Amino acid sequence: MSSVKRIAVFTSGGDAPGMNAAVRAVVRTAVYHDLHVYGIYRGYDGMVNGDIKRLDVGDVANIIQRGGTVLKTARSDVFRTPEGRRQAYESLQAHDIDGVVAIGGNGTYTGADIFMKEFNVPFIGLPGTIDNDIFGTDYTIGFDTAINTAIEAVDKIRDTADSHNRLFFVEVMGRHAGFIALHTGIGSGAGAIFLPETETTIDELNNTLRKSVKRQKLFNLVIVAEGNTNGDAHQLANEIKSRNPHFDIKVTIIGHLQRGGSPTAMDRVLASRMGHSAVKALLRGEGGVALGIINDKITYTPFLDAISKNKTLNKDLVKMAEILAL
Ligand code: F6P
């Protein structure tokens, strides 16, 4: 067993629905095990500036259902500097903090890995990002809520698309990964999906569209991942319009709508399990690992692997999406 007595928790990078449920689970599990627990506000910036407050069970009441993060978040520049990290270490020392739970994405893990090597404070990472692009876990906190939000929006777009016989290009988030786009596309029955990981071309889309018109097939929805290499939804729409001037085409960017809102049951339970397990991992003396859930079992992946290895899209799902769009 470790000698961990005082731990801290923070959220960092883009907020994700379910982060609050994770913070609540960390605080309550820590208190249950007689640990002191501190909240660090505004991610690594707060660690550098000493924006740290002791939390008790009551401080995390009534937050499990709230989107965003009560601890606030930031993408920190100062923590990238050795001076910033030294200052952050001094802030942790001022509260005798001897273990940290970091909730965020790849950038958060990279910062934790560097800091741990410099100052030997154990960190456990929790995957908090809507993108679901973290190696070592089937799902990240926030992904399920984001795809449900996106699908609800797309369902509404379909109503108007269908009524006017229009073709909509709907752009969803996912800077480097197509998980949100793939699941939104499958769940909303899209005619085509543009993903960063696959090679769908405008020519292919154009051919599919023309064939659909010939067959009088209803084809009114293309889902575009933000990070796809063919261009954004506007560029794709313009290209198709220039080849088919008679098509009535519209573009919708769902954008940050996908990041907010009350977390789904799935995200609340996932985040609670992860937050709870993170504290138990610190108590066992673990550190330097990203916690995940694979096949419903809690797993631990070294930060370096979580950061450097690519989580790949399920090719069978990509193929299935094409077949179901026939
Ligand atoms: O990583 C989560 C994410 O929501 C991405 O999907 C998106 O590209 C990015 O954050 C947007 O970041 P910001 O809110 O800083 O513009």
Side-chain angles (χ1 to χ4, degrees), residues 277-288:
S277 302
V279 175
K280 295 208 298 191
L282 283 173
L283 283 169
R284 285 196 304 273
E286 290 189 42

Side-chain angles (χ1 to χ4, degrees), residues 56-323:
D56 210 334
V57 286
D59 295 310
V60 290
N62 202 21
I63 65 168
I64 194 168
Q65 77 283 18
R66 285 170 58 190
T69 161
V70 293
L71 293 181
K72 315 292 181 189
T73 188
R75 303 193 202 273
S76 176
D77 286 329
V78 61
F79 194 78
R80 292 179 210 274
T81 65
E83 304 75 47
R85 291 194 294 277
R86 156 72 46 194
Q87 226 176 303
Y89 178 62
E90 284 164 14
S91 304
L92 295 185
Q93 276 203 314
H95 298 279
D96 288 326
I97 288 164
D98 44 23
V100 180
V101 179
I103 308 171
N106 268 323
T108 309
Y109 290 179
T110 305
D113 190 54
I114 296 170
F115 188 80
M116 268 198 67
K117 284 174 182 152
E118 287 174 344
F119 299 106
N120 201 27
V121 179
F123 273 58
I124 303 287
L126 296 192
T129 166
I130 63 166
D131 291 350
N132 202 31
D133 60 347
I134 297 191
F135 181 85
T137 189
D138 287 341
Y139 294 107
T140 57
I141 297 166
F143 173 65
D144 186 61
T145 308
I147 56 174
N148 275 287
T149 302
I151 286 174
E152 197 183 330
V154 173
D155 285 349
K156 290 179 177 161
I157 289 166
R158 242 182 196 287
D159 289 344
T160 176
D162 188 35
S163 305
H164 284 265
N165 200 19
R166 280 177 170 156
L167 172 64
F168 270 79
F169 285 78
V170 181
E171 187 176 298
V172 295
M173 276 187 164
R175 264 179 303 196
H176 311 295
F179 294 95
I180 296 178
L182 179 61
H183 286 247
T184 302
I186 292 171
S188 60
I193 310 171
F194 276 81
L195 303 164
E197 296 88 345
T198 58
E199 306 265 301
T200 315
T201 62
I202 306 222
D203 287 341
E204 279 164 0
L205 174 63
N206 204 45
N207 289 339
T208 315
L209 278 168
R210 289 198 170 161
K211 279 187 206 148
S212 307
V213 171
K214 257 197 201 141
R215 287 164 49 208
Q216 293 186 313
K217 178 189 182 288
L218 185 70
F219 187 122
N220 51 17
L221 202 54
V222 178
I223 303 292
V224 181
E226 191 185 20
N228 99 89
T229 47
N230 286 281
D232 63 23
H234 282 289
Q235 288 165 323
L236 287 172
N238 288 341
E239 186 59 39
I240 293 296
K241 181 79 181 166
S242 71
R243 297 182 191 197
N244 308 277
H246 55 290
F247 281 7
D248 189 357
I249 299 181
K250 297 280 175 187
V251 174
T252 300
I253 315 276
I254 304 184
H256 286 79
L257 259 182
Q258 287 153 102
R259 281 244 295 262
S262 181
T264 57
M266 165 110 177
D267 270 329
R268 295 181 199 195
V269 174
L270 181 78
S272 299
R273 288 179 71 184
M274 287 180 163
H276 175 70
S277 302
V279 175
K280 295 208 298 191
L282 283 173
L283 283 169
R284 285 196 304 273
E286 290 189 42
V289 288
L291 196 147
I293 291 188
I294 298 177
N295 293 334
D296 209 35
K297 294 262 172 338
I298 300 285
T299 56
Y300 303 90
T301 304
F303 276 140
L304 220 49
D305 285 349
I307 298 159
S308 60
K309 293 191 177 163
N310 245 347
K311 179 169 169 187
T312 49
L313 275 186
N314 181 338
K315 289 205 181 84
D316 293 341
L317 277 191
V318 176
K319 184 69 199 159
M320 184 196 80
E322 283 168 20
I323 292 171

